[in-house]
Amino acid sequence: MPSLAVIGHPVAHTRSPAMQTAALAELKLAGEWTYGAIDIEPGSFEAEVAELAAAGDYAGVNVTLPHKEAALALADEASEGARAIGAANTLTFRDGRILADNTDAGGVLRSLPAGIGGGADAAGAAGASARRALVLGAGGAARAAIWALAQGGEGAPDAEGNPTLVPSFEVDVWNRTPERAVTVAAELGGRAVSDPPAADYALIVNTTSVGLHGEDPFASLPLAATDFHPGQVVFDIVYGPEPSALLAAAEDRGATTIEGLEMLVQQGALSLRIWTGAEPSIEAMRTGARRS
Ligand code: ATR
C-alpha cells in the first residue's frame, strides 16, 4: 500500500493530509494510498528521507519549511524548475532513486484566472501591460513565483475544461531588503524595482509574510488601496488564518483576488498527479483543505 506524507518542522498545523486524503477519496484511491504528516528536524532530514526512500512503502513526499533546499540537494534527479528555483517541494521515490520537483511554480500559474495575460494569444490584442507582474518579496515563495511567471506555462483549465497557457510575464521584483530583490531577479529572470508603479501591473503577487498577523499591509508594502482596479489580479500566496487585509482592499476596488489556500491546493494537486498519474479533483481538495 503506497504511503505519502508531508515532511516539515513544525508540521502539526498542516492542511495537506486532510486535503490530499480528500483528493485520494474522490479518486477512489483512499483504500490503497495514505497521506500523513512527518515532523523531521533539520539535522536528521537527509538520513530520514533516505530511510523512507529505501524502505519501499513510500511513493513520495511533499516537503515544506525548512527543508525545501535540502530536498533538492539530496535528490538523484531534479526537474528544470526545481533546479532553477533552488528548492524542491515534491520528492518521488522510484526504483531506488529520488526525483525532485517544484510544484509551487506550476501551482502559481494554475492559481491564476484562466486566460490571464491574454492566454496563448498574448502577443496579440492583450498588449504589454497585460503581461506585467509585480512580485513582492524575495524568499522561497518569491523564487517560485518569479521563475514561473517569467517562463509561463500550463494554467488553469478554462470553463470547458480545456488546458490553457499562461504566457511569460515581464516580472518586477520588490523586496524590503533591496539587495535580495536584485539577486533573485537576476537569477530567475525578473527585474528589481524600488518604487513599482503598482496600478500598472496586470498581476500583483504578495509572497511576504506581511499581513499574516493582522498588520496593515500598506504600511510595509509599496502599494496603496487606490492602486487596485478592475481587471487587475491580486494574489496573496501565503496562507493565513484570516482573509488578508490586502485582498479585502483589492476586492473593494474591483480587482480579482486569489488567496493562499488556492496555492496550497494547486501545488498539492500537481504533486498528487506526479505520484499517482491521476488528475485529482480541485474542488474536493479545496473542501478538504478548508475543513481541516
Ligand atoms: P519564504 O521563503 O517563506 O518566502 P522568507 O525567506 O522568510 O520566506 O521571506 C519572507 C519575505 O517577507 C522576505 O521577502 C521578507 O523581506 P526581507 O528580505 O527584507 O526580510 C519579507 N518580509 C517579512 N516581513 C516584512 C515586513 N514587515 N515588511 C516587508 N517585507 C517583509
Side-chain angles (χ1 to χ4, degrees), residues 89-173:
N89 73 331
T90 305
L91 294 176
T92 305
F93 307 143
R94 193 175 292 152
D95 305 326
R97 294 172 66 75
I98 301 179
L99 319 177
D101 281 285
N102 190 312
T103 67
D104 288 333
V108 169
L109 300 184
R110 282 160 168 266
S111 295
L112 302 174
I116 192 168
D121 195 25
S129 67
R131 302 192 308 278
R132 282 192 76 188
L134 172 64
V135 173
L136 304 169
R143 294 182 67 90
I146 296 163
W147 186 80
L149 291 167
Q151 300 285 315
E154 194 180 341
D158 65 14
E160 283 81 49
N162 299 313
T164 67
L165 198 66
V166 179
S168 61
F169 273 70
E170 215 176 279
V171 186
D172 285 355
V173 183

Side-chain angles (χ1 to χ4, degrees), residues 65 137-142 174-177 180 207-210 220-221:
L65 301 180
W174 174 93
N175 192 50
R176 175 179 61 179
T177 310
R180 291 188 76 200
T207 75
T208 74
S209 45
V210 174
S220 314
L221 301 176

